[in-house]
Structure formats: structure tokens, C-alpha cells
Amino acid sequence: MSSSLKRCICLASCDLEEAHVTCEHDELRDGRAVNIVISLRAEEDGSSSQALEMSFGRLLRRASSKASDLLTFNAGSAGSRSVQDGEIIFSKNNVCVHPAEPVPGLPEHHPGYLCVHLEKDETLGSTLILTWVPNSRIQRQDEEALRYITPESSPVRRNPRRRRARLAQPRPPPAHEEDEDEEEAPESGLQQQEEGDEGSCELSADEVSRDSTLGSDSDTFSSPFCLSPVSEALAESTSSVFLDSESREMCDESMTHSASSASSLDSHALSESSQSQGMRWEEQQKVLAVEQLCGVFRVDLGHMRSLRLFFSDEACTSGQLVIASRESQYKILHFHHAGLDKLAEVFQQWKCCRETQLKDQVADEKSCMQFSIRRPTLPSTETHPEERLYRRLDVSSWLRHLNHNGQVEEEYKLRKAIFFGGIDPSIRGEVWPFLLHYYSYDSTSEEREAWRLQKRTEYQEIQQRRLSMSPEEHSEFWRKVQFTVDKDVVRTDRSNMFFRGENNPNVEIMRRILLNYAVYNPEMGYCQGMSDLVAPLLTEIQDESDTFWCFVGLMENTIFISSPRDEDMERQLMYLRELLRLMLPRFHQHLMRLGEDGLQLLFCHRWVLLCFKREFPDTEALRMWEACWAHYQTDYFHLFLCVAIIVLYGDDVTEQQLETDQMLLHFSNLSMHMNGELVLRKARSLLYQFRLLPRIPCSLHDLCKLCGPGMWDSRYIPAVECSGEHPDSQSCPYGGMATPQPPPSPSHPNEGKRGSKKRDIFNFRKQP
Amino acid sequence: MAGGSVSECKEYLFKVLVIGELGVGKTSIIKRYVHQLFSQHYRATIGVDFALKVLNWDSKTLVRLQLWDIAGQERFGNMTRVYYKEAVGAFVVFDVTRSSTFEAVSKWKHDLDSKVKLANGNPIPSVLLANKCDQKKDGSNNASIMDNFCKEAGFLGWFETSAKDDINVDEAARFLVEHILLNDKGVPYEESNGDRIKLHQEAMPAESKSGCC
């Protein structure tokens, strides 16, 4: 943007080196947010930059006035003074995020505003929320981004109504017309409140079982893959004085290792998919990279595994902060302009943070600090920790995901919201086309309109091809496709209002879409079951051409497609068996006892083929579809849904040792009698449990491949353990190590750590 | 269970397949037979469906029929082998209003015989169902031609059925079960599994195919 803004941020960053913002009153905090907005607007209006500096000045005055309070928030033991929810205890401008790999056309440095604030936490007493908002978002007057740096928790939690009332008061008129953002604050406040309640229930139950064990999820870098971002961060800081040649060598080694593994994975991925999918994959990767750099990063540090600070200067003020999640993902924040030492003090003060010593560190050198997060109890894995943080995506929250050009601001965040909360039926028709890759997330509203017109013409051309077949072609088409389509469309979803009644024109539209699809993709043609998949799309999207292209996207991008090939289904079943082996060993043993027939998992073929459409009423089944299409943390969420059904409804099978056919009967009798919401929740918690596993069998390596790292710098890549079946190659293509140990059971997350210790290359010297 | 002392009652569990081209009415026949229902709009079967019919065959025999409703458009070649496994009888269905479905009968029968056999190596008893006979135009299917076809193709016999008007469905099932029981006859009573005799006990040369009709 403009130089004046940069100057302003620069100014702020200079001052903020010393500033630790503490706001006791929400008005102040709000005032601050508004100030920034005003100042930016003033600047856009062409007013002097004076206003900018003034507003930042006000902000800084407030910040420094309370700096002395900083050290008291822990005060040795909990409760010396009540925690002020929402207090900002650290903030710093121009903290950078760097791309993990250079992205063409993107700069290396992505500066942003970092802020740490306190929030009440049921188990920890208080927790720290760290938020990084890219400057680009602040510059764009992205109100949502600004809201992130204004903690809203405490007053909202205590009194949501008051907040709503206050927000309704007049505010400076926005420069652009913004979506009805007023609703956001009270809404999220309520959600947090709900979540808090939920959390407390869960955890108290958990406490009983774990009793007094201090569940420090102490940090082990168990996988060579996990090292790469950190070692990169290290290698990058070439000016660092602390890296001796030996450890640097080791870093390099680990980097090459991870790089080569990564490239072999990529080539594997490419060889597996068709050319067009390969292209899509690359595009997607770029989008994901941009996302990771330009998206808001926000985590509850109380849920992290470890925090590490690597100093790059003698004074130990600049360097990198590396945040590691319990799911072994990493984020690296670069402090080029000091401030890291102050953050270290904050961590030292926080009672949940325990500084851990590395054995080989020499006492007189301070180069790295490591904190692990200790919790009185580990959070329960029975419920995904982010469960109930999200509400159903409705019109107003959907609009908030779009900027004024109609582009989706943060794809990852949108997908996550959909994964947890689903989409309100009234806007499914609008949002599904994004999930189904008909619209790209960064397209503007105008581009989408143009795209629709273009695709409509294309659709008409396909239809024309069908209608102008030669008699021979047509008779073959009739035999292979049309006959079956004609049979099926009249018996698909006829109880749905949209298709009800004789001579319903929508049935004819569905028929045309399916016929045209078979022309468009003759290799696939028509498979029974496609009508079940297209019917809900048409019901929600309504437009014929749009539905067609969404259906194309559905068939290309989702993995539960009605593929006509044995091997696709076989692969799904293989993954499912492996998941069961890992997560429900008792059931897997039962299958093993039944032998090959049992392992065929006949009872879930239809689950996979139609993505549960026949197992649950539409309202619930479509929620499952959306959750699968969101590709959140896995590309195979439908398999987690399968496991969830078996976990919840499969006890009889193992208890009564049901035979293969009885098992089929058992589950087919359950269709339309299961609780879809419960299954969804269970599946999300299973995914969470899966992601906590420090090691997974190499057979499940691809389960989290396409979904991207989200806001993290590292993909999710746990240690891979070779399960030893690679007929085509000598060694495990995933670099898995053969180990005699049984795979860790998810119910004992700590168990898996045994023996997974690898040589720790972070043998840095450390301060005394 | 009417009459007969329970201890002497024999209980059988038979797995019976229902196969044929798509849309010939396999699901309808099963729904008619098991639930006495008919609808024009049963959804296409995906993979396999399943129904259980319990027959009080006579005072001393209880028969549980497991009817496996197999999708007409079977996309997974490998899977059918699992579907067919351990079946002891089959209905092959065609639609009298569509000659192409009759032409496909041989293909289905061949597929069946290649994938499942009785313990003695013989093909499993199978019955041909000419469904939708309520819609039949004139006497297009000549009975003697059909008899010959059955003999050549290795069907025990054939029935004109209508799931819609409930014609011959029970009769066809009864006919098939009789033959399945014949195959089972003389099998020594094997206690082991309580009162349930497992599917198709080993051995015992089957009766020569009774070419009825």
C-alpha cells in the first residue's frame, strides 16, 4: 500500500519493541481496533499521515502504561490475582512468516502483527492465545483480520448482551460497504462459552481416569520429516553465532533427507493421478502456500506441544519462534527486529510453560530456549478440541468469508468452518460449487459470472454432441448408458419434494445431466449410484449447467466416487482395514478371524460408494458430504465416518462374534436408524486421535496428502512405520522404518513415544 | 413353530442369490416375497442388499432363507465372488417385456456356475424367473421353448412371475427350497453348532438334477 502506512507500521514496530500491551478494559481494546481502522481510512481518504501516527501513538501509550502488570499474571502460583480475560500481554509488529519453499511470484518476507493475549481456561487457569495477522490483511482494512487482534473473550463471555448493545452504537462509517460484521462478536462469544462448558465436562471425566498424572505432552521430534521446517529455519539464520559446524552438517543432512522424501512422495502422487489431476494438484499447492503465508495464524498455546526460540544475534533478541502443535505441525515466526527476548520472558512467566533443558547444552551460551506445555491433564481425545467452536455456516458468516470482490479470503478457514459446522441449506447452492472445484476460491464474483456463462456454452456443446450421434453410435449409447439412466432417474429420490410427482421436469433435467456426463466422460459412462449423487446437487444448485459441472468436480475430486474400477474400491477398503487395525483393534481381530470374507467389509461398500446417502436421512447425509468435501486434515474423512459407525454401532458384531453375512445384515438393518450427528462427532474425534499418533503405518501415509498444511508451515507427516508390503519395490516408498513394536494404540497416546526417540539434532548450547 | 418337539426340529440356513440384468425386478420380487409389498420405485440396488425369510417348512423343519439381492450393474468384478460365496441356490430373473434381459440370462448363469459350486462340484440349484408377466403382450414366450432352454442352460425350471400382482413368487421359492433340501438330504445330522446346521454340509452326492417342468 502507501508509504505512509509503512512508515506508520515501522514507527509502531520501533516502539513496540518495548511495548507490552495490557488492556484492562474492553473499551480500550475496542478503541484500539477502531483507531487502526479509522487511521487507515483516513489515509485512504487522502488525509495526512498525522492521523495514523496519532492513533498508533495512543495505542502505544496505553500499551506502555500497563507494561508493569505483565509479570504479574502468573505470580508464581495461580490465583494471586484474578486473570483478566482478554489482556494483551505481548504484541509486536513486523514479525515475518517465510514460505517453506520459495514460491514463484511471492516475496520471501511476509510481515505481520503478532499479539499474545490471555484467556481463561478451565484446566489451565489461564491460557495464552497467539495471533499473527499478515500486514496485507490489515492494509486491506480487512475488518475480520483486525478483529483477530482484538481479544473479545472476557466481556463477551461474561455478558454477551452488553456487548451486543455496545456494538450497536454508531461507529465511524466504513469506507467500503462491509458485510454485517456486527454479529460476529456476540456470536463467537456464545460459541466460546459453549465450548468452555463442553470442555469442562469432558476434562473432568478425563481427570478421573488419569488422576494425578501430570500429562506433560513433552516434546519429541520423532520424525525426520518433522525436522525440516525447523532445520530450515536454522539454516536460514546464517548469521547465527551458535551453530557449530557439526550441528549444521546434521541439519543439512536432515534437510536433504526430508527433501528427497518429499520429492519421492510427490512423484508418487503424480504417477498415481492423471495428468489433469496433476495440474490441479500443483495449482492447489500454490493456493495452499499463499494461504499459509497470507492467512491469519491463531492458536491456543495451551494446546500446543512445545515452543522453541532460536536466537540469531548475540543479544538474544532476534531469531525465530517455532510453535509445535500436538499434531506435530510447525509454524515458524521470524523476529528480525528483536522482541523475541520479551516473548521468552512471557513464556517464562506462564505457569503452563516449562522450560526444558537440552542435555548437551553448554552453560554459557544462550542460543535456544525450549518450552514444553504442561497440562494437569491431557485434553480428552473423545471429542475434537475444536468441536462446537463452529456454527453452521449461514448467510452472514458466509459473506464474512468473502472480501468485497467476492473472493474467498481464507480457503482453509472456510473449509474448517464447514468441516465442523456444515452449511446452512439456504446457501448450499452457492457454497458447494467452491467445495466441488467448479469455482476457484480466489475467483471474484465477476469472474465467476463469466465462468458460468463460458461453462454453460461448453455444456450446451456437450449436449449437442449427444444429440447429433449417428444411429450406430446412438444405439450403442442407448444400450450402454441411456437405458440404465432411464431406469434409474425415475427411481431416484422420488420422495424428495424436488423430484416428486409424475412427469416432474426435474427428473428430466437429472436425466440430461447424467446422459451428458457419459458423453463428456465416456470412460466412466454411467454407473449405478451416480443418480443418487447428482440428485442432491441438482436439488441444491438447481441450475442445470452449474449442477453438471459440480457433478464433474464431484467425480474428479472426491475419493468416494462411484469408480467403475476394482482397484479404487480395493484401495479404499485397504485404508479402512488399516484404520480399523489402528483404531479399533478388537473389531479388526474379529475380521481377521472371519478371514478373507470378513476383510472384504461387504457391509460398508455402499457407505463408501454413495457416501452414506442410503444410511442416513438427507439432512444428515449431506452434512457428511460437506464434511468430506471440506478436505480438512484428511482427504478420506468418509473412512473416519465408516470407523465411527463401527465404533458406535458395531459392539454386537464383536460381542456376538457375528459371521460375515450376519454382519452385513446387522449393518444394513441399521441404515436410516443411526444418529448422524453422533457419527459425525465421533468421526471428527477419531480424526483427531489419528492425527495425534506419533507414528502411522506407511499404508496410511496418503490419508492426509492433498488437504494441505492449513495455517501451519509443515504438512502433517508423522513418523511412518513400514508395514512391509511393497511388492514392487525393495524398500518402503514412504521411507518407513520397520520396527518390531506394535503400532501405538490411540487410547494411550503416550505409549507410542516409547522407542520413537531419534537422535535429537537440536543439540544446541543453551543459557544456564 | 407349530407342532413337533423342539428338540427334533431341524433348522436350516440357506443363502440364496437373486441375480439378473438391472431393472428386471429382483428387489421387487424379494420385497414381495419377504414383506408382501410392492412399489414402482425401489431404488437401484448398490452393491448388495439383503433380506431374511423364515419358512416353517414342515413340523420338523425350519428354513431360514437369506436372500441376497445383488446389483444388476455390478461394477466390481472381484466383489461378486464374495457375494456368491457359499450360496446354495439362485434365482436368475429376466423381464418378459425386454428380450435383451432374457438374452443376458445365459451370461448370468454362466457367471454363477463359474463362481460358486456345491461341495460336490455340481452347480448350485437355480430357477429362472420370467418376471413382469402381468405386462406380457400375448403369448410371446412359448412354454416348450422355455422348457428346452432351461434344460440346456441347467435351470431346474422356470416360473412366470409378477411381483406386482403377486403371481408365482411363493411357488418359485418353494420349488427352489425343495431342491436345496434334496441336496441336503441324507446329510448326517451334525450336532456341534447347537440346533443350527451350518450351510451346506460337506459331501453327499447330490440328487441328479430333477428336470421338472
Side-chain angles (χ1 to χ4, degrees), chain A residues 483-484 487-488 490-491 494 502 526-529 532 562-566 569-570 573 596-597 600 602 605-606 609-610 614 659 661-662 664-665 668, chain B residues 13 22-23 40-52 66 68 71-73 75-79 82-83 85-86 95 98 132 196 198-199:
Chain A
F483 169 75
T484 316
K487 274 272 170 205
D488 281 356
V490 296
R491 50 179 177 164
R494 293 307 291 275
E502 291 302 308
Y526 174 76
C527 285
Q528 284 200 302
D532 281 81
S562 311
S563 159
R565 293 182 302 167
D566 274 341
M569 188 64 180
E570 289 294 349
L573 295 176
E596 199 199 325
D597 290 5
Q600 282 289 344
L602 283 185
H605 289 191
R606 193 173 66 194
L609 286 172
L610 300 185
R614 301 256 183 110
E659 299 291 324
D661 48 354
Q662 294 169 309
L664 180 58
L665 192 60
S668 57
Chain B
L13 179 65
L22 67 94
Q40 296 281 1
H41 294 310
Y42 288 124
R43 290 178 297 184
T45 306
I46 303 298
V48 61
D49 258 334
F50 208 89
L52 190 67
Q66 252 182 20
W68 287 56
Q73 189 193 41
R75 60 189 111 203
F76 304 116
N78 292 345
M79 297 298 167
V82 185
Y83 297 158
K85 204 162 179 178
E86 306 198 328
D95 173 354
R98 284 190 290 137
K132 305 195 188 179
R196 172 176 290 192
K198 289 215 79 182
L199 296 183

Side-chain angles (χ1 to χ4, degrees), chain A residues 234-505:
Chain A
L234 292 168
E236 217 167 62
S237 55
T238 43
S239 66
S240 64
V241 291
F242 55 89
L243 269 180
D244 58 36
S245 59
E246 190 191 312
S247 61
R248 190 171 290 170
E249 239 174 61
M250 289 166 104
C251 283
D252 291 347
E253 191 191 312
S254 87
M255 279 174 73
T256 12
H257 177 80
S258 62
S260 66
S261 320
S263 65
S264 79
L265 295 181
D266 286 350
S267 64
H268 177 76
L270 282 175
S271 69
E272 217 177 54
S273 53
S274 71
Q275 195 67 21
S276 71
Q277 277 171 322
M279 289 295 289
R280 212 178 269 279
W281 161 260
E282 272 170 23
E283 270 169 44
Q284 206 179 352
Q285 291 315 295
K286 191 169 176 189
V287 172
L288 291 172
V290 172
E291 183 117 76
Q292 167 223 324
L293 294 170
C294 307
V296 171
F297 178 82
R298 183 182 178 87
V299 286
D300 181 342
L301 295 180
H303 282 286
M304 296 298 106
R305 176 179 289 163
S306 75
L307 306 166
R308 290 177 181 216
L309 287 76
F310 298 98
F311 298 108
S312 60
D313 59 349
E314 299 258 14
C316 294
T317 56
S318 298
Q320 290 98 33
L321 165 67
V322 180
I323 303 170
S325 75
R326 294 183 65 215
E327 299 166 34
S328 302
Q329 284 186 286
Y330 296 83
K331 185 78 176 181
I332 304 167
L333 297 161
H334 298 258
F335 287 67
H336 298 298
H337 309 289
L340 200 55
D341 51 333
K342 304 291 185 213
L343 190 59
E345 283 174 24
V346 170
F347 292 154
Q348 280 169 327
Q349 296 292 320
W350 185 32
K351 66 172 175 170
C352 302
C353 236
R354 216 195 59 158
E355 197 171 345
T356 44
Q357 312 266 329
L358 291 166
K359 272 179 197 160
D360 301 338
Q361 277 185 332
V362 175
D364 59 338
E365 263 185 272
K366 179 184 175 185
S367 58
C368 167
M369 289 172 81
Q370 176 179 320
F371 299 92
S372 59
I373 310 297
R374 300 181 71 90
R375 305 176 61 94
T377 53
L378 286 176
S380 164
T381 55
E382 285 305 300
T383 311
H384 196 293
E386 294 179 278
E387 197 70 54
R388 300 183 70 181
L389 276 178
Y390 293 87
R391 277 190 179 182
R392 192 190 274 179
L393 186 79
D394 59 11
V395 183
S396 58
S397 47
W398 161 239
L399 291 176
R400 277 198 295 275
H401 281 276
L402 302 174
N403 64 21
H404 60 275
N405 290 323
Q407 296 166 295
V408 173
E409 198 60 77
E410 282 183 81
E411 177 201 336
Y412 169 79
K413 238 175 64 193
L414 174 66
R415 289 190 289 118
K416 184 174 178 182
I418 292 169
F419 176 76
F420 283 103
I423 304 172
D424 193 88
S426 63
I427 52 164
R428 274 184 180 145
E430 200 172 325
V431 184
W432 280 7
F434 290 90
L435 293 178
L436 296 171
H437 299 258
Y438 176 39
Y439 301 153
S440 78
Y441 288 98
D442 57 359
S443 61
T444 64
S445 315
E446 278 174 26
E447 285 167 346
R448 287 197 289 276
E449 275 318 303
W451 177 250
R452 290 184 66 204
L453 288 178
Q454 185 192 328
K455 297 304 269 186
R456 178 157 301 149
T457 313
E458 211 178 308
Y459 176 70
Q460 274 151 10
E461 284 163 10
I462 294 165
Q463 171 144 296
Q464 204 45 51
R465 256 194 286 158
R466 174 167 68 84
L467 297 175
S468 54
M469 282 182 191
S470 71
E472 301 79 45
E473 284 171 332
H474 185 263
S475 82
E476 196 198 350
F477 185 76
W478 187 88
R479 198 164 37 80
K480 283 189 173 167
V481 174
Q482 191 161 337
F483 169 75
T484 316
V485 171
D486 286 346
K487 274 272 170 205
D488 281 356
V489 289
V490 296
R491 50 179 177 164
T492 301
D493 285 11
R494 293 307 291 275
S495 55
N496 179 337
M497 272 308 291
F498 193 73
F499 296 109
R500 197 174 285 175
E502 291 302 308
N503 300 320
N504 186 321

Side-chain angles (χ1 to χ4, degrees), chain A residues 212-228:
Chain A
S212 63
T213 50
L214 192 67
S216 159
D217 202 3
S218 76
D219 157 70
T220 26
F221 289 88
S222 51
S223 156
F225 293 100
C226 300
L227 297 174
S228 67

Side-chain angles (χ1 to χ4, degrees), chain A residues 155-156 159-166:
Chain A
V156 177
N159 194 351
R161 284 222 184 91
R162 194 178 64 113
R163 170 121 182 143
R164 187 186 287 272
R166 195 168 42 71

